[in-house]
Amino acid sequence: MNENKKYCILTYGCQMNVHESEKLAGFLQERGYTETQEQNQADVIVFNTCCIRKSAEEKILGNIGAVKPIKKKNPNLIVAVCGCMSQQTDMADYIQKTFPFVNIIFGTHNLNKFGNFLDEYEQTHKKIKDIEQQVIVDENVPMYRTSGYNGWVNIMYGCNNFCTYCIVPYVRGREVSRRPQDIIDEVESLLKTGKYKIITLLGQNVNSYGKDLGGDITFAKLLKQIAELPYEFKIKFMTSHPKDLTDDVIDVIAENDKISKTIHLPVQSGSNAILKKMNRNYTVEHYLNVIDKIKSKIPNVSLTSDFIVGFPSETQEDFEATCNLVKRVGYNGIFAFMYSPRPGTPAAQMQDQIPLDEKNKRVNALLAIEKQISHQKTNEMIGNIENCIVDKVLDDGNYLVKTDSGKTIIVGNAILEPYSFVNIKIDKLIDNQLYGTVVN
Ligand code: SAH
Ligand code: SF4
Ligand code: F3S
């Protein structure tokens, strides 16, 4: 019905949103639309938004504003805004007022109604703004997957943790786990196609998977059940919370070749005073204890983390404690963010907000420390043999392969099957690029 019509989806924020854009695309494909990267060519433009930091919101508002001249040239263009940013009712009102050319506004909880919204708008040409407050788990949402050999699979929605800086619990609602059988069926349907080699399980806090289901299913059991599926593939997952990462999960990871040995364990700060104000519910000592357990049970583990610097009242000593933690753990990579006050969150009301230039100095200092450490970690990989996935053939006939932790290695003198797993010996590091050869 919509032959020759095209859509363009702009996705901001985390992997959850990347995957939800695959669901938005599913509704559009179902209606005959095809994908374009060019907003000028599109009949439907969708902004799938993020509000984790103010800078994200500002960028998105600028990009929505930039659609105005496109809409002027093509008055039939449908513009939709959805996701975490528009889930905030004040922000949805603001978008409607500031950008009258936006036709459809909805939030995170009613993404499953996107198809209805499109149909309704096409029939009536009346603007739609519909923000739902309840988390709805809908197993019948179409999907048009666009992440190559990686299949994203939601295992749960929402977050109950209310870290004092974070807006996610307000825009994603309380934790709701999907039923284990629904998850396993979805994973199996992906693996059966032979196209998907990495399955990434998604949730804001995957370690509390199942707690709301009342039975005896846990994240460790779910991981184990998925790892038992008889296909060649790897399982990744994000995100883990240090207060909930239990020994049984560490053991399952250690015991299963199919489970990735890369663990993202956001700590946010190395100061107990700040962790307490953040409502993270663990101490630095507890975190290090978990890290040490992981390292002893999974010797080849690759660890990554998130940090927030310049949280209200963070002193120079607090910040130095964070730097020391980074050195002590020896991460393979980190993300470091300047604290951004979010409307409605407790930390936004706290005294002693840190000036922007100080936050900027601290974030750069932390990243400089990590740069040295991760360079050293990469250097230490030389001589290792790693099981990698063949990511693509390069123009010069060499291959790009990816390690378990996502590092790229260039491999020549071989004929490799794209998206297969191969063992690679890492030979050298030149200008930050690893080179290797196939071993049998
Ligand atoms: N559920 C995940 C991801 C949360 S958002 C988790 O708990 O780890 C990803 C990262 O954004 C967080 O780990 C945190 O480091 C950062 N973040 C969240 N709120 C922020 C804020 N208000 N300002 C700056 N960074 C923030
Ligand atoms: Fe935000 Fe904390 Fe929940 Fe992560 S665990 S989404 S940081 S409230
Ligand atoms: Fe952003 Fe929402 Fe993810 S706020 S980080 S897109 S859960």
Side-chain angles (χ1 to χ4, degrees), residues 159 161-163 165-166 168-169 204 241 280:
C159 181
N161 287 324
F162 288 95
C163 303
Y165 51 80
C166 186
V168 171
Q204 295 299 344
H241 195 301
R280 290 290 287 178

Side-chain angles (χ1 to χ4, degrees), residues 50-91:
C50 169
C51 55
I52 197 82
R53 284 169 286 275
K54 188 158 189 236
S55 54
E57 288 194 330
E58 285 169 347
K59 180 170 142 196
I60 294 165
L61 290 173
N63 292 351
I64 298 174
V67 170
K68 193 176 174 183
I70 305 175
K71 176 89 175 191
K72 229 182 186 156
K73 263 198 263 166
N74 174 14
N76 292 328
L77 172 68
I78 301 174
V79 183
V81 178
C82 64
C84 292
M85 191 171 159
S86 47
Q87 180 65 35
Q88 308 165 88
T89 41
D90 289 359
M91 185 51 90

Side-chain angles (χ1 to χ4, degrees), residues 12-14 16-17 49-52 84 167-168 171-172 204:
Y12 304 85
C14 62
M16 195 69 81
N17 261 17
T49 63
C50 169
C51 55
I52 197 82
C84 292
I167 198 162
V168 171
V171 293
R172 291 276 174 181
Q204 295 299 344

